[in-house]
Amino acid sequence: MSLKSYVTPSFLIERNKERCIKCKVCVQQCANEVHRYDEEDDEIISEEHQCVNCQRCVTLCPTGALTIRKNPNELRQNSNWTAEAVRAIYIQAETGGILLTGMGNDRPYPVYWDNILLNASQVTNPSIDPLREPMELKTHLGRKPDSLSIKEGKLQKKLPPQLELELPIMFSAMSFGSISLNAIKSLAEAAKQEGTYFNTGEGGLHRDLYQYGENTIVQVASGRFGVHADYLQAGAAIEIKIGQGAKPGIGGHLPGEKVEREVSETRMIPEGTDAISPAPHHDIYSIEDLRQLIYSLKEATNYEKPVSVKIAAVHNVAAIASGIARAGADIIAIDGYRGGTGAAPLRIRDNVGIPIEFALAAVDTRLRQEAIRNQVSLVVGGSIRNSADIVKAIALGADAVYIASSALLALGCHMCQKCYTGKCNWGIATQDPQLAKRLNPELGAQRARNLLRAWKHEIQEMLGGMGINAIESLRGNRLMLRGIGLTEKELQILGIKNAGE
Amino acid sequence: MLREGQIRIPSGCAISGIMNKKGRVFGGGDIINSIAVMHDRSNGLGGGFAAYGIYPEFKEEYAFHFFFDHTTIKNEIEALLKKNFIIASGEAIPIRKSKSIKDAPLIWRYFVRPKHRVLVKQEVDEEEFVVRFVMRVNSEIDGAYIFSSGKNMGAFKGVGYPEDIGEFYRLEEYSGYLWTAHGRFPTNTPGWWGGAHPFTLLDCSVVHNGEISSYDANRRQLEMYGYKCVLQTDTEVVAYIFDYLMRRQGLPLDVIVKAMASPFWHEIDRMNKKEKEILRAIRVVYGGFLVNGPFSILIGTNQGMIALNDRIKLRPSIAATKGDYLYVASEEAAIRQVCSKPEHMWMPRGGEPVIGLLEASQPTRVPVRTEQEKIAINS
Ligand code: SF4
Ligand code: SF4
């Protein structure tokens, strides 16, 4: 006996009959099979239960006949038992499973970036026009020695390996498996053209991507998928993934359905098997163990590549980061609690971790107190939504940022949060060849490049306004920031003054 | 109202510097005349001078110049000095009372050397000990402020127009081989003598025109290495950067100026391989010491004078030479006032330093601990 579902549709689909020409584009486009053509009645019928509001049909409908709205149907008002809370219980009562979700935390927690304002020059200090004067965003990531020894016009000791970025933005880890090869190709090409890096995530490096090696950060995660000598050699840097902002403390799970031939080859696992990344690295149970892995990877690559360690922003992040720096990492990547994901348990995504703004401020302050800030570069991610967020992050103390959700939005993602279903109608979070080909990697690269360039110009404008012409003069320059609507304690943690002070 | 140190006060200014490369000394009259020409670049809220070679009779002692708010604190400081230093001499700095200078604090100078056993106990060299002492007094002791602490040099500063400050301190009675001067135009009226330029640490003095937009990036970098930026002024930050790169890191002058006002990346890309490697390394490693925003600074040391502009020259500076003399000032008039027919005169480009080193051999820094002492400490 099957259970009747008590879950009502989340969205309503309105079809303007006068506009609809019955071209069936919506029927073809919706992988969730919401729209169906009834030949007998010569009518298109929409079965709303499966709709995730990804806006694919709306965007592609040639006559603009479709509108998707939140289902106006309401449960009896209850401030405690909200419709969402009730709905979650119905779903779990029907499935007996963990609630899954995709993308980043969407709860209405404060976004601290929006409570920080930037400075600009007036009179006492001229602003600089980036159209007329050089405005330098070049950024180097990697360990910086305490001092240089220069004798007779010669550098006595070479610098440790550095990643050189033309702008302080990199594409964050997204594995082949969680997103399509076309999506990765788009980002890889954009990174190459704009002089920055993309990150393989824990999915290995597909053979078509080796040509982008110079612009690649190869990740080593707890499942060790796709990790072999050539893979480590192929990248410009290696990143050990300890955690991810969307699901700190837990591993990953790529369902067998997504492990088709190419994914299976790249990850070096049998086709159709689940790819399970354990929650911890089973060879890292302590900071000393991490040190060993860092140095094994450095040994394996002849100390020619910086090694990054990525962690989720959790309560004790400052002390953890200090330990990672001392363990020999060259870069620390911190992912805030709003960071995206291909799939995560809903309750973890929405309740574990801390905001990246606080984590960054705390880590930068701590590393400076311990006088080891120059030993590591700090890269932060976890919902960087625009260029102003980046400027604020750098002024708080970051060297560069990682973007992933923004990058996918540039490729066409519509934030439906259903990445874990494998049915991404935009050809991004899917391995279905029919869906994946909807994303043309050349056009994808163009869109991703445009985003980087647009943000680069905006960052230059903001820097010039502050009277600064090199990004290093913004790094950790917290006097350029003022808080608005923040408590004393929040200001103190961020290390900034209030507006008007 | 908050005074300098409790709040950051932007200001505009005039600067001037004169040196004799052979180390021949001359009176303070010229520098006063030179800075006085640029009267309109300051607003009477701060003026000051640094003079080198003025204390030959005490050239092995650190010359501490103090502002005291009252005698009680002066007595306390004297006790503290006695504990840590051998005091060769101590006196009120001679001044000339004038109508234009009001509310002067007590101004004293002491010629001192750190006591040997104090150094041994703290396991630091003489200079580091002096630096720490100065920082401690200035950040922790209310009512006392050390505004000069180098050997055979001194800073003289206060609230007023620079020419009046010069007269107040009777500078025409001193003879030095290198003089720098500053007239200040703060956008605020803190009226605190310690806030005037030059800012000094050991024998390094800085006068500065401009506002540094990289201030907090520089400050936080310096604080990592133990400096306390108590004044919250750009000048203080410049002096500490210089001290850190020169004294603590032992970098050559040309490298220091490249760190503080580095060439642009597109310029570095055009250099030959060797230069490129060095410049890249300087920018990568010392990026936190890049001074950004409009500035024109004059740094004086026992070894000479360095003038430096920001990378895109947002503040004026002009340099000239005549015979053994080198002149640098904010305006040409300030040079012509004291040197009517210079042999060369030029506008240094943005980021291009003017470096005037003393040709005469100068007492270099003597490490305080002898080998035997080191052994004694280690055992
Ligand atoms: S899931 Fe997307 S394509 Fe399908 S009906 Fe809803 S909005 Fe349209
Ligand atoms: S990537 Fe695709 S599935 Fe995921 S949120 Fe974006 S549109 Fe939806």
Side-chain angles (χ1 to χ4, degrees):
Chain A
M1 202 169 64
S2 70
L3 290 170
K4 165 152 177 58
S5 177
Y6 297 158
V7 183
T8 48
S10 300
F11 306 103
L12 271 193
I13 299 176
E14 287 174 1
R15 183 181 301 274
N16 183 330
K17 289 255 156 78
E18 277 169 28
R19 288 191 173 191
C20 181
I21 52 169
K22 297 177 192 163
C23 68
K24 304 188 205 103
V25 162
C26 54
V27 180
Q28 291 143 17
Q29 288 296 322
C30 182
N32 295 314
E33 295 170 3
V34 170
H35 308 289
R36 175 167 63 81
Y37 177 64
D38 188 322
E39 231 157 296
E40 249 166 62
D41 295 348
D42 181 29
E43 205 177 355
I44 296 180
I45 299 157
S46 301
E47 173 45 66
E48 283 143 342
H49 254 104
Q50 299 303 322
C51 177
V52 300
N53 193 3
C54 74
Q55 296 280 315
R56 180 80 186 177
C57 57
V58 178
T59 313
L60 268 75
C61 174
T63 59
L66 292 168
T67 308
I68 314 247
R69 291 200 293 130
K70 191 174 160 219
N71 189 344
N73 180 43
E74 280 178 5
L75 292 183
R76 192 196 158 98
Q77 285 301 325
N78 189 323
S79 300
N80 183 37
W81 287 103
T82 59
E84 235 168 322
V86 170
R87 193 184 153 85
I89 288 191
Y90 290 157
I91 294 174
Q92 292 194 295
E94 286 164 23
T95 62
I98 289 176
L99 295 170
L100 279 183
T101 188
M103 281 299 173
N105 190 337
D106 63 359
R107 306 280 79 205
Y109 296 117
V111 180
Y112 286 95
W113 300 130
D114 294 339
N115 293 72
I116 299 176
L117 299 170
L118 297 171
N119 195 25
S121 312
Q122 298 287 298
V123 186
T124 56
N125 179 341
S127 38
I128 303 168
D129 186 346
L131 294 176
R132 289 161 193 273
E133 307 282 353
M135 192 55 71
E136 304 188 313
L137 302 189
K138 196 190 281 281
T139 299
H140 290 85
L141 303 182
R143 175 170 296 255
K144 316 285 188 283
D146 279 321
S147 60
L148 284 181
S149 167
I150 298 170
K151 284 204 189 100
E152 288 145 21
K154 260 199 80 176
L155 201 58
Q156 299 297 302
K157 205 166 158 233
K158 269 198 159 55
L159 279 189
Q162 306 283 326
L163 291 183
E164 190 170 305
L165 287 64
E166 291 303 323
L167 74 180
I169 310 172
M170 301 189 289
F171 296 125
S172 188
M174 285 176 281
S175 69
F176 176 40
S178 76
I179 61 172
S180 65
L181 190 56
N182 280 351
I184 301 179
K185 281 183 182 164
S186 306
L187 300 182
E189 181 64 28
K192 184 179 167 187
Q193 300 273 346
E194 295 306 313
T196 181
Y197 299 83
F198 80 102
N199 186 313
T200 61
E202 51 185 314
L205 190 64
H206 188 273
R207 59 183 175 280
D208 289 0
L209 297 168
Y210 274 78
Q211 53 168 315
Y212 295 107
E214 273 178 26
N215 297 90
T216 308
I217 298 175
V218 294
Q219 211 180 51
V220 173
S222 61
R224 299 288 196 272
F225 298 120
V227 177
H228 50 88
D230 290 347
Y231 170 76
L232 295 179
Q233 284 301 345
I238 302 171
E239 180 166 276
I240 299 170
K241 177 195 174 184
I242 300 292
Q244 179 180 347
K247 42 182 174 182
I250 65 165
H253 179 185
L254 187 70
E257 304 88 77
K258 276 190 167 180
V259 183
E260 44 74 77
R261 193 168 53 80
E262 301 276 313
V263 173
S264 104
E265 273 173 20
T266 308
R267 292 207 179 202
M268 308 194 303
I269 52 169
E271 223 174 302
T273 54
D274 289 8
I276 296 178
S277 309
H281 286 246
H282 283 300
D283 53 359
I284 304 179
Y285 286 178
S286 69
I287 196 87
E288 313 87 85
D289 294 345
L290 174 66
R291 184 180 179 84
Q292 292 201 8
L293 181 58
I294 291 174
Y295 279 93
S296 315
L297 293 171
K298 289 190 175 185
E299 274 300 326
T301 51
N302 207 14
Y303 293 84
E304 282 162 357
K305 298 170 198 297
V307 171
S308 163
V309 173
K310 176 177 175 177
I311 53 167
V314 290
H315 301 181
N316 203 16
V317 67
I320 297 166
S322 156
I324 294 173
R326 292 173 193 281
D330 304 305
I331 301 168
I332 302 177
I334 312 170
D335 197 14
Y337 78 149
R338 284 179 190 279
T341 175
L346 179 79
R347 298 301 175 213
I348 297 222
R349 185 195 75 171
D350 289 355
N351 294 285
V352 182
I354 62 168
I356 190 60
E357 300 90 324
F358 286 160
L360 164 59
V363 169
D364 178 68
T365 301
R366 173 69 74 92
L367 295 180
R368 284 171 193 268
Q369 280 164 354
E370 298 184 7
I372 52 174
R373 177 64 185 82
N374 57 325
Q375 289 181 19
V376 279
S377 295
L378 281 184
V379 179
V380 298
S383 200
I384 297 289
R385 302 156 306 162
N386 53 51
S387 57
D389 289 355
I390 299 173
V391 171
K392 292 168 190 174
I394 292 175
L396 277 181
D399 289 275
V401 301
Y402 260 147
I403 60 167
S405 301
S406 318
L408 296 190
L409 286 167
L411 300 186
C413 160
H414 277 62
M415 272 298 151
C416 70
Q417 307 187 25
K418 295 288 175 187
C419 321
Y420 61 95
T421 63
K423 290 189 192 160
C424 175
N425 272 325
W426 294 91
I428 298 166
T430 180
Q431 300 308 322
D432 178 339
Q434 292 306 318
L435 297 176
K437 77 175 183 209
R438 292 180 180 180
L439 176 64
N440 174 328
E442 272 166 40
L443 297 179
Q446 183 68 49
R447 298 184 83 99
R449 273 188 78 181
N450 283 345
L451 181 73
L452 291 179
R453 291 162 73 134
W455 284 8
K456 182 178 178 174
H457 289 313
E458 289 177 336
I459 295 171
Q460 288 174 329
E461 288 285 347
M462 283 182 257
L463 273 192
M466 294 176 199
I468 285 176
N469 58 12
I471 193 91
E472 51 261 53
S473 298
L474 178 69
R475 190 165 309 130
N477 193 338
R478 295 191 186 172
L479 220 45
M480 288 296 170
L481 305 174
R482 289 291 188 274
I484 181 163
L486 295 174
T487 64
E488 254 330 298
K489 191 75 195 175
E490 288 164 333
L491 291 169
Q492 181 206 327
I493 294 168
L494 293 169
I496 62 175
K497 293 184 172 179
N498 202 60
E501 264 189 292
Chain B
M1 189 155 166
L2 296 179
R3 79 174 193 192
E4 201 119 23
Q6 294 156 322
I7 188 170
R8 209 168 110 76
I9 298 160
S11 49
C13 316
I15 58 179
S16 180
I18 309 173
M19 82 171 278
N20 182 293
K21 287 193 213 170
K22 290 262 170 359
R24 203 166 319 119
V25 294
F26 54 97
D30 276 0
I31 193 77
I32 298 178
N33 286 340
S34 166
I35 196 83
V37 175
M38 299 183 285
H39 183 89
D40 286 351
R41 296 186 74 92
S42 31
N43 65 357
L45 292 176
F49 300 81
Y52 289 80
I54 53 170
Y55 295 136
E57 66 278 29
F58 292 114
K59 67 177 192 288
E60 294 309 323
E61 273 78 25
Y62 293 90
F64 282 177
H65 289 187
F66 270 95
F67 290 136
F68 295 121
D69 285 357
H70 43 77
T71 32
T72 328
I73 193 71
K74 174 175 162 285
N75 296 338
E76 270 175 45
I77 288 286
E78 282 180 351
L80 191 64
L81 283 174
K82 275 196 195 112
K83 233 171 87 189
N84 292 285
F85 298 90
I86 301 157
I87 306 177
S89 169
E91 61 181 351
I93 293 181
I95 51 163
R96 182 184 286 129
K97 290 239 157 23
S98 86
K99 264 206 218 98
S100 44
I101 303 293
K102 293 185 204 79
D103 302 326
L106 303 172
I107 308 171
W108 277 65
R109 67 185 162 208
Y110 302 87
F111 298 96
V112 302
R113 286 200 76 154
K115 286 186 177 164
H116 186 142
R117 68 179 162 73
V118 183
L119 295 181
V120 172
K121 209 165 118 204
Q122 300 204 2
E123 295 195 32
V124 290
D125 69 17
E126 204 176 86
E127 290 190 328
E128 186 59 28
F129 178 79
V130 171
V131 168
R132 287 186 197 178
F133 182 82
V134 171
M135 296 234 173
R136 188 156 65 101
V137 169
N138 289 354
S139 63
E140 289 168 20
I141 301 181
D142 254 3
Y145 184 76
I146 304 177
F147 64 99
S148 190
S149 54
K151 286 181 178 175
N152 199 10
M153 61 79 67
F156 302 88
K157 63 185 189 179
V159 174
Y161 280 101
E163 58 272 26
D164 298 334
I165 292 288
E167 203 190 306
F168 174 79
Y169 281 108
R170 303 158 61 161
L171 290 188
E172 72 285 353
E173 295 170 12
Y174 293 81
S175 292
Y177 59 83
L178 161 57
W179 294 83
T180 63
H182 186 262
R184 192 161 186 238
F185 200 133
T187 52
N188 201 317
T189 53
W192 182 50
W193 284 51
H197 297 202
F199 184 84
T200 68
L201 186 66
L202 296 174
D203 64 299
C204 168
S205 70
V206 179
V207 292
H208 160 253
N209 170 19
E211 188 185 336
I212 296 175
S213 6
S214 56
Y215 174 81
D216 217 31
N218 300 143
R219 175 188 70 87
R220 296 183 73 228
Q221 183 84 7
L222 283 166
E223 293 197 339
M224 213 165 90
Y225 301 112
Y227 291 87
K228 293 196 186 91
C229 298
V230 288
L231 281 188
Q232 299 194 37
T233 63
D234 299 343
T235 329
E236 180 188 35
V237 155
V238 171
Y240 290 166
I241 291 178
F242 205 77
D243 180 68
Y244 178 73
L245 296 178
M246 187 154 99
R247 187 173 61 84
R248 303 244 313 251
Q249 293 258 310
L251 292 176
L253 264 184
D254 56 329
V255 174
I256 297 174
V257 295
K258 288 283 184 309
M260 293 171 76
S262 36
F264 288 101
W265 286 112
H266 65 84
E267 292 166 340
I268 295 175
D269 288 343
R270 285 201 296 265
M271 294 174 180
N272 68 39
K273 206 171 150 244
K274 221 169 84 188
E275 275 181 316
K276 204 181 204 165
E277 195 190 1
I278 293 179
L279 263 300
R280 175 172 180 266
I282 292 173
R283 286 201 68 171
V284 167
V285 173
Y286 298 116
F289 297 116
L290 173 69
V291 184
N292 217 313
F295 71 85
S296 161
I297 50 178
L298 266 178
I299 299 168
T301 77
N302 274 335
Q303 294 157 50
M305 168 168 90
I306 298 142
L308 190 64
N309 266 138
D310 64 87
R311 308 197 294 165
I312 53 176
K313 191 142 186 176
L314 293 168
R315 282 285 192 275
S317 80
I318 184 159
T321 54
K322 183 172 184 182
D324 295 331
Y325 286 89
L326 170 68
Y327 303 84
V328 181
S330 304
E331 290 180 14
E332 187 175 337
I335 295 178
R336 295 221 180 255
Q337 176 73 15
V338 288
C339 169
S340 56
K341 288 203 179 69
E343 288 155 8
H344 300 286
M345 186 166 250
W346 73 101
M347 297 253 191
R349 276 176 298 142
E352 177 194 318
V354 176
I355 301 180
L357 290 183
L358 266 192
E359 287 161 19
S361 73
Q362 278 296 302
T364 43
R365 304 196 154 87
V366 200
V368 53
R369 279 186 254 152
T370 64
E371 280 310 308
Q372 281 146 344
E373 286 164 350
K374 268 189 200 153
I375 293 162
I377 295 164
N378 294 338
S379 56

